[in-house]
Amino acid sequence: MRNLRKNIAAVFVAGAFAAGLAGCSTTTTESPSPSGSGASASTGLSGSITVFAAASLKSTFTELASDFESKNPGTKVTLSFAGSSDLVTQITQGAPADVFASADTKNMTKLADAKLVDGTPVDFATNVLEIAVPPSNPASIASFADLAKPGVKVVICAPQVPCGAATKTVEEASGTTLKPVSEEASVTDVLGKVTSGEADAGLVYVTDVKGAGDKVKGIPFQESAKAVNTYPIATVETSKNKELAAAFIDTVTGSEGKKVLTDAGFGTP
C-alpha cells in the first residue's frame, strides 16, 4: 500500500505542476476569499501565500487562515494539507509553497538540509498519540497492548509520517509489536478508516480524537508520553511573498495561534 501511495502521489504532483495548480496534497482546503482588494490600510500587507501544513493541523490552520484574511483585507491564504513527509517531497520538487508547518522536527530538518528554509524554524505546538476506536468499541480495546491481540484490525500511519514514527517509538519503548492491517500516508487517513468502520482501532493524535467529536472514542495510554511530537513552522526559501509568509507565521506563533491550538488539544513546546 505504501508503494502504491508513493506512486499515486508522484503522478499527482506531476499533474498538478503541469496544470499550474497551487496545491498538490491529498486534501486541499481553501480559505474564504478576501472581502476586499489591495493592501490592508492598517498593516500594508497584500497578495497571497500558500501554506503547506501537516494533516493534523487542518482545523486549526483553516480557522487561523480565515481570521488572518479577515484582519488583513487584500490577502489570501491557500492551505494544502497532507502528511509532512509528502509535503517535503512536493516542496523539494518545486511545489509553490510559502510556508511549511511540519508535525515533527525531522521533516523540517529535511527541508532545511535541502536549503529550502528561510531563517530559523519556530516550534509552535506539541502533540501525542491516542487510540481512536468506533463509539461501540467492538474489539474492546482498553490499552496499547490490546492493539496487538490476534484478530484486532488496527490501522497506523506509515513510518515516514510523523504519527507513524511516533507509533514506532511507542512500540519500541513498550516492547509491543503491532501487526496493522494498513499503514496510511496521513493521520487523517487513519482516522477515516476508524470512522468508516474499516478498522477496530487506529493510532492518531489527541487532537484528531477531539476534533472527531462523537464519531470516535478516544483511549489515552501512558506509553504515548514516550513519543511527543514537536511542530515547527518556517518560511520556504523560494517564497515570492516572504513578508506575508512571516506575518502568517507570527499569527500562528502569537497569542491568537496559541489559543486556537490549545483549544484544539495541542500542547505547548
Side-chain angles (χ1 to χ4, degrees), residues 218-243:
I219 301 173
F221 56 101
Q222 62 180 7
E223 296 93 335
S224 65
K226 301 291 185 181
V228 179
N229 278 13
T230 297
Y231 286 56
I233 188 170
T235 300
V236 177
E237 176 60 35
T238 54
S239 170
K240 303 298 184 185
N241 196 340
K242 290 183 179 179
E243 182 182 19

Side-chain angles (χ1 to χ4, degrees), residues 57 59-61 63-64 67 71 124-126 207 210 249-269:
L57 294 167
S59 63
T60 53
F61 270 41
E63 179 178 349
L64 288 170
D67 290 345
K71 293 177 179 177
F124 66 95
T126 60
T207 52
K210 187 172 183 178
I249 291 174
D250 286 344
T251 295
V252 172
T253 58
S255 58
E256 181 184 358
K258 289 177 181 177
K259 182 181 186 310
V260 171
L261 290 160
T262 300
D263 288 348
F266 286 94
T268 55

Side-chain angles (χ1 to χ4, degrees), residues 2-54:
R2 224 179 306 171
N3 290 334
L4 177 58
R5 284 186 173 278
K6 288 181 177 179
N7 293 335
I8 292 173
V11 171
F12 185 77
V13 167
F17 290 168
L21 297 177
C24 336
S25 61
T26 53
T27 302
T28 300
T29 302
E30 288 196 4
S31 304
S33 299
S35 56
S37 60
S40 165
S42 58
T43 65
L45 296 171
S46 64
S48 62
I49 55 172
T50 298
V51 176
F52 277 27

